[in-house]
Amino acid sequence: MRILSGIQPSGRLHVGNYFGMMEPSIELQDQGEAFYFIADYHSLTTVHDPNQLRENVRDVAIDFLACGLNPDKAVFFKQSDVPEVTELSWLLSTVTPMGFLNRCHSFKDKTDRGIEASHGLFAYPVLMASDILIYDSSIVPVGDDQKQHLEVTRDIAVKFNNLYGDVFIIPEPKIRKEKAKVPGTDGQKMSKSYGNIIEIFGSEKPIRKKIMSIVTDSTPVEDPKDPSQSVIIDLFDLVGSDSEVEKMKSDFLSGGFGYGDFKKRLFEAFWDYFQPMREKRNELSENLDYVDSILKKGAEKARNAANRTLTRARKACGIE
Ligand code: ADP
Ligand code: TRP
């Protein structure tokens, strides 16, 4: 069983990325043949500074390894080291009805936020389908917001298979019931484009400040507070122990504690939770040749797998 996922190197990774995509991918690396990649072709739709892109790719590589991606178990590579994926993307685009892409909300979401409405941004779900189909992937762990792209991938694969025979495996998304939509400091979905993120590996002071800035209502310190409507509780649930979470919920209900106090507890739990990964990250940052060598080795394996599928697809549609 092939498991595959990708993450864009378009900024610093945050707690939403971790719980929505990285942690489930890391858990799955023991259960099948895992392929994880850094989606740099995709990031070209939003990042137009070449040095920034190179730096982001390296940062994501270090972050993912620090968080527990095990290169002895998972094949870890950079998307653009397998350029075959762009050829398959073209083959797929010739069978993709415009309607599949018109219905994707991510294009509208991104252009509404000021990102240029380029053809690449519009056609992005086809490249994502190619990412998935070229590795014969069965399972794709992602956060909730990628669900629609997985539906499009499946629809494109079925369309191609109906036309040309059974070329592609139809993949299944794997989206967690909990943790798939981590809220940001303003209560909306945490996203780098909303300016509401808590970075996994930010420095202590700015992270503390970020957590202390979480938006709350103005219930006075002495009054009871509603734990079911609180971003603080939702985030604490991710990083606190069960008993700490229970205690915070009962302190919400009893009154006598201010939001500032709860935010301090959240910061402490957050800092402890990511401490081992922070240490691993520091080690890896001193060892960049090692990081680069992992991506290089991963790319070789990925390329072999991609070539097999691409040849199948080329033959099926009459290119060879
Ligand atoms: P962003 O919204 O910050 O641009 P990306 O779109 O690059 O994040 O997402 C990378 C991965 O992380 C995807 O699998 C996505 O579903 C997941 N992800 C992003 N934000 C969240 C969130 N707030 N909660 C859960 N998963 C998320
Ligand atoms: N679109 C995904 C995101 O923005 C990244 C991605 C690209 C991806 N190709 C993929 C995820 C293939 C899973 C599978 O987060």
Side-chain angles (χ1 to χ4, degrees):
M1 178 183 70
R2 168 93 24 99
I3 303 149
L4 171 129
S5 196
I7 190 151
Q8 290 198 50
S10 43
R12 306 302 298 267
L13 295 182
H14 56 73
V15 174
N17 297 142
Y18 180 76
F19 288 104
M21 181 272 183
M22 298 163 76
E23 190 191 47
S25 301
I26 289 162
E27 281 168 10
L28 281 169
Q29 70 192 357
D30 295 318
Q31 290 174 37
E33 206 187 349
F35 274 42
Y36 299 137
F37 68 95
I38 304 171
D40 56 344
Y41 280 142
H42 282 283
S43 280
L44 280 174
T45 56
T46 53
V47 181
H48 295 131
D49 173 341
N51 288 328
Q52 184 69 54
L53 184 63
R54 278 186 275 267
E55 198 181 307
N56 289 355
V57 167
R58 177 133 326 127
D59 273 339
V60 170
I62 299 173
D63 287 354
F64 220 143
L65 290 167
C67 287
L69 186 151
N70 180 345
D72 295 328
K73 291 184 182 160
V75 175
F76 187 36
F77 61 101
K78 186 168 79 157
Q79 181 186 28
S80 61
D81 281 339
V82 187
E84 286 80 358
V85 77
T86 59
E87 182 179 346
L88 183 63
S89 180
W90 176 255
L91 302 188
L92 297 177
S93 77
T94 61
V95 305
T96 304
M98 287 295 283
F100 285 10
L101 301 180
N102 277 330
R103 75 172 194 241
C104 286
H105 47 61
S106 78
F107 178 74
K108 192 170 177 318
D109 289 351
K110 289 185 179 173
T111 49
D112 282 352
R113 280 189 259 126
I115 297 172
E116 195 191 350
S118 66
H119 172 258
L121 193 69
F122 183 72
Y124 158 114
V126 184
L127 180 57
M128 179 156 166
S130 178
D131 290 328
I132 296 170
L133 301 176
I134 206 166
Y135 300 111
D136 288 332
S137 318
S138 311
I139 304 284
V140 186
V142 278
D144 198 51
D145 56 354
Q146 296 298 317
K147 197 171 168 184
Q148 191 177 41
H149 292 147
L150 261 297
E151 283 163 12
V152 170
T153 300
R154 289 165 59 89
D155 289 348
I156 295 175
V158 168
K159 192 93 203 290
F160 196 97
N161 283 355
N162 283 343
L163 259 173
Y164 296 123
D166 271 345
V167 176
F168 298 121
I169 291 177
I170 311 296
E172 295 281 345
K174 191 163 175 90
I175 300 170
R176 287 173 151 185
K177 288 212 174 58
E178 330 88 51
K179 308 190 197 179
K181 208 170 186 177
V182 176
T185 51
D186 58 357
Q188 287 191 80
K189 188 202 100 132
M190 188 180 291
S191 172
K192 55 188 165 296
S193 22
Y194 300 153
N196 64 359
I197 66 164
I198 302 171
E199 279 180 27
I200 307 173
F201 294 117
S203 350
E204 186 170 349
K205 240 181 152 176
I207 294 279
R208 192 189 289 275
K209 217 170 140 198
K210 248 321 171 41
I211 289 180
M212 295 313 286
S213 77
I214 289 174
V215 177
T216 54
D217 59 32
S218 50
T219 314
V221 173
E222 55 289 1
D223 286 10
K225 299 170 181 67
D226 182 0
S228 68
Q229 299 295 328
S230 169
V231 175
I232 304 175
I233 295 271
D234 289 348
L235 292 172
F236 197 61
D237 223 2
L238 299 170
V239 292
S241 68
D242 289 351
S243 59
E244 286 170 334
V245 174
E246 279 321 302
K247 171 85 172 67
M248 190 183 281
K249 283 184 182 162
S250 78
D251 290 348
F252 258 67
L253 290 169
S254 68
F257 297 88
Y259 285 120
D261 177 3
F262 297 131
K263 290 177 187 174
K264 278 187 197 140
R265 290 192 220 175
L266 173 60
F267 171 78
E268 297 304 330
F270 164 87
W271 200 253
D272 289 351
Y273 188 91
F274 287 105
Q275 182 58 26
M277 301 177 214
R278 208 171 288 120
E279 282 166 17
K280 181 93 201 281
R281 193 182 199 287
N282 288 341
E283 275 171 38
L284 288 163
S285 311
E286 300 290 310
N287 223 333
L288 295 178
D289 287 348
Y290 167 73
V291 175
D292 291 345
S293 74
I294 286 170
L295 292 181
K296 198 160 167 251
K297 250 189 259 160
E300 269 170 45
K301 288 193 191 154
R303 221 169 165 182
N304 282 336
N307 264 310
R308 282 195 292 276
T309 314
L310 180 61
T311 304
R312 220 163 58 222
R314 284 169 61 101
K315 281 193 178 139
C317 64
I319 290 285
E320 56 177 88

